[in-house]
Amino acid sequence: MTSNPQAASGEPNPLRALTLDRLRRRTSMKWRTYPEDVLPVWVAEMDVPLADAVVRAVTDALALGDTGYPAGTAYAEALAAFAEKRWGWDGLAVGRTRIVPDVMLGVVEMLRLVTGPGETVVLNPPVYPPFFQFVTHMDRQVVEAPLGADLRIDLGALEDAFRRAAEGGRRAAYLLCSPHNPTGTVHTAAELAAVAALAERYGVRVVADEIHAPVVAAGAAFVPYLSVPGAERGLSLMSASKAWNLAGLKAALAVAGPASAADLARLPEEVGHGPSHVGVIAHTAALRDGTAWLDVLLTGLDDNRRLLTDLLAEHLPAITYRPAEATYLAWLDCRALGLGDDPARLFLDRGRVALSPGIDFGTGGPGHVRLNLATSPEVITEAVRRMVAALG
């Protein structure tokens, strides 16, 4: 697979476009969960203006009154073209896709297709907290295969989890986070092929959450799970929401491998009524016409990773940080600070900076925090300053 181009395009860096005063006018979760004196660098919302292509597409739709129900395959066609150009993958067949409300609700629907109540879903903690919440809410059991010390998939632990999950002939699924949230790990083609081989050996169905796929650092290469040998029975969820900050414009795509097309065909028709038609328009425009904006964003994120590395080395050297290969999230190991399982609580209470508590991400999460890098260098600098002040 090819890595993302980082060419200059004349686009301004969206991470430097908005002041903190302007951001505080927003009414979304990031800016309304905590009091105004708290600096929010937690939930995965970006501090950016939208790409012009998205604004134009949505504005045109509103001017036309084009606010009905979603229809057609334009979103899937845009994603297929993006996948071929960006990742060198020409295997995304539009006929094996379905529109779903968002990635997590799509995950739930895919798990319903391949498992039943009381059956098992394998997770790789520390991992995105809603994985645990949604899986248990739908009456499935969680079996953990924790990441290794290198924050990569531990294939031995995964095989053991698959064996336990499928014991007695039970149906089981593996919810793969790719790229991984919160660590930002990009799974290699060899790792994903090994996952596919294990899944086939134990009869486990793989459902891949690939929402962060477009957000990859320079020098790294995202590999779609369905592109590797042996993944034909897999199912994937993709969306433009993370890369273009479109979480409030609901729309995602479920993508089936060649051998799972019949499963996807059983998806209830009403699921396709959940996405926003305006959301579909926005996501389609992002994938089709917003790549120059994305490239500048990715360059800005690379700069922010370097900035955070330098700030921590100078001011908080006890925190261990490995700059991620993907996502705009930073996974910080604070255990050497001696702050217990939930250092985010102290940083919030004493420093008035909100980070995502590592404890929420399951096994391997206690003693860690997650910091959102999709903001201005000034906000990152202030966040670290507040963390330092909390320890004073």
Side-chain angles (χ1 to χ4, degrees), residues 75-95:
Y75 188 1
E77 291 165 10
L79 179 60
F82 181 89
E84 184 168 9
K85 184 175 182 180
R86 208 75 173 181
W87 307 319
W89 180 41
D90 62 1
L92 199 162
V94 171

Side-chain angles (χ1 to χ4, degrees), residues 265-277:
R266 293 188 287 107
L267 189 69
E269 179 189 352
E270 60 267 23
V271 173
H273 293 226
S276 159
H277 178 50

Side-chain angles (χ1 to χ4, degrees), residues 14-344:
L15 295 169
R16 293 177 175 267
L18 301 176
T19 65
L20 193 55
D21 286 344
R22 185 170 178 83
L23 288 165
R24 289 197 182 279
R25 292 168 52 190
R26 292 184 170 181
T27 59
S28 60
M29 180 185 289
K30 181 175 185 179
W31 296 98
R32 287 295 181 265
T33 297
Y34 295 99
E36 198 162 301
D37 68 323
V38 172
L39 186 70
V41 286
W42 63 295
V43 73
E45 295 181 22
M46 291 198 287
D47 296 346
V48 294
L50 293 183
D52 287 344
V54 173
V55 174
R56 286 195 303 270
V58 170
T59 301
D60 289 349
L62 295 179
L64 189 61
D66 190 7
T67 54
Y69 299 104
T73 60
Y75 188 1
E77 291 165 10
L79 179 60
F82 181 89
E84 184 168 9
K85 184 175 182 180
R86 208 75 173 181
W87 307 319
W89 180 41
D90 62 1
L92 199 162
V94 171
R96 294 198 305 270
T97 66
R98 293 284 295 274
I99 297 175
V100 293
D102 60 29
V103 164
M104 274 314 303
L105 291 179
V107 163
V108 167
E109 295 299 336
M110 297 305 103
L111 293 176
R112 283 184 176 140
L113 292 175
V114 299
T115 65
E119 293 179 328
T120 301
V121 178
V122 176
L123 304 179
N124 295 131
V127 74
Y128 184 51
F131 278 16
F132 297 98
Q133 298 158 2
F134 279 78
V135 167
T136 55
H137 182 70
M138 61 185 297
D139 193 24
R140 268 60 170 178
Q141 307 299 312
V142 170
V143 169
E144 295 189 358
L147 297 178
D150 57 357
L151 303 182
R152 307 198 73 86
I153 295 172
D154 181 332
L155 292 172
L158 190 66
E159 180 169 15
D160 180 64
F162 281 5
R163 184 184 298 111
R164 287 183 285 133
E167 193 173 18
R170 292 181 302 171
R171 292 186 300 173
Y174 171 39
L175 181 47
L176 169 67
C177 194
S178 179
H180 194 85
N181 175 5
T183 65
T185 300
V186 175
H187 311 303
T188 67
E191 287 171 328
L192 293 174
V195 165
L198 286 175
E200 286 302 298
R201 185 181 309 166
Y202 291 96
V204 174
R205 300 298 297 277
V206 178
V207 176
D209 171 354
E210 298 182 313
I211 195 170
H212 289 278
V215 189
V216 177
F222 170 73
V223 180
Y225 176 70
L226 296 180
S227 73
V228 303
E232 292 79 10
R233 292 206 308 147
L235 295 156
S236 168
L237 284 305
M238 292 186 169
S239 172
S241 65
K242 285 293 182 284
W244 284 271
N245 206 41
L246 303 177
L249 290 166
K250 294 283 190 179
L253 284 164
V255 184
S260 59
D263 293 306
L264 189 60
R266 293 188 287 107
L267 189 69
E269 179 189 352
E270 60 267 23
V271 173
H273 293 226
S276 159
H277 178 50
V278 176
V280 170
I281 290 170
H283 288 238
T284 303
L287 290 162
R288 187 181 57 214
D289 302 316
T291 54
W293 182 93
L294 175 64
D295 286 337
V296 177
L297 171 77
L298 296 177
T299 298
L301 289 173
D302 285 337
D303 292 341
N304 283 356
R305 292 185 190 98
R306 286 188 288 269
L307 172 63
L308 182 62
T309 299
D310 292 343
L311 289 170
L312 293 176
E314 180 178 356
H315 301 291
L316 291 168
I319 292 180
T320 300
Y321 167 53
R322 303 178 186 180
E325 298 173 300
T327 80
Y328 47 78
L329 307 167
W331 186 237
L332 309 183
D333 184 346
C334 305
R335 288 174 293 181
L337 293 174
L339 303 179
D341 287 347
D342 190 11

